[in-house]
Amino acid sequence: MSPVMRRSTVVRLHWQLAWSRVLLWIASFGRPVTPTPEVHFYLADLHFQLAFAYEALGRAMKARRHRAIANQHAAAGPPADLPPAVAVAMPVPPDDAA
């Protein structure tokens, strides 16, 4: 990927991040609100993409900063689903209604 394309990617991602903040502010309507886990997941994805783009541009400090922010959002995001094998291995609760 050329440096011009990488820079345009960084600009696009910053615009998406800015718009998501504006939309969160509008949705809160001036009240303090906590973003949902799905919003945290989306913000984590944007920051991870920014971190990769900055790494491609050789901007290690900015990449580390955005990766740290992404990890914070990912931790506040939705919990990971159980793998199918684990869900199948769980015991079925007894049916006391019978």
Side-chain angles (χ1 to χ4, degrees), residues 31-91:
R31 300 181 318 266
V33 295
T34 305
T36 63
E38 291 79 13
V39 172
H40 281 293
F41 186 72
Y42 175 71
L43 293 173
D45 181 54
L46 285 179
H47 281 286
F48 275 128
Q49 289 182 42
L50 271 169
F52 289 130
Y54 276 126
E55 275 182 354
L57 288 171
R59 310 283 302 265
M61 292 290 287
K62 285 192 176 203
R64 274 194 296 260
R65 178 175 160 256
H66 283 285
R67 186 163 287 111
I69 294 170
N71 286 330
Q72 290 173 352
H73 281 296
D81 293 334
L82 292 175
V86 173
V88 171
M90 292 181 155

Side-chain angles (χ1 to χ4, degrees), residues 2 4 6-7 9-10 12-13 19-20 22 27-28 37 45 47 53 58 71 76 85 87 89 97:
S2 72
V4 173
R6 285 188 224 134
R7 284 191 196 102
T9 300
V10 168
R12 179 184 54 82
L13 290 169
W19 270 111
S20 64
V22 167
S28 69
D45 181 54
H47 281 286
N71 286 330

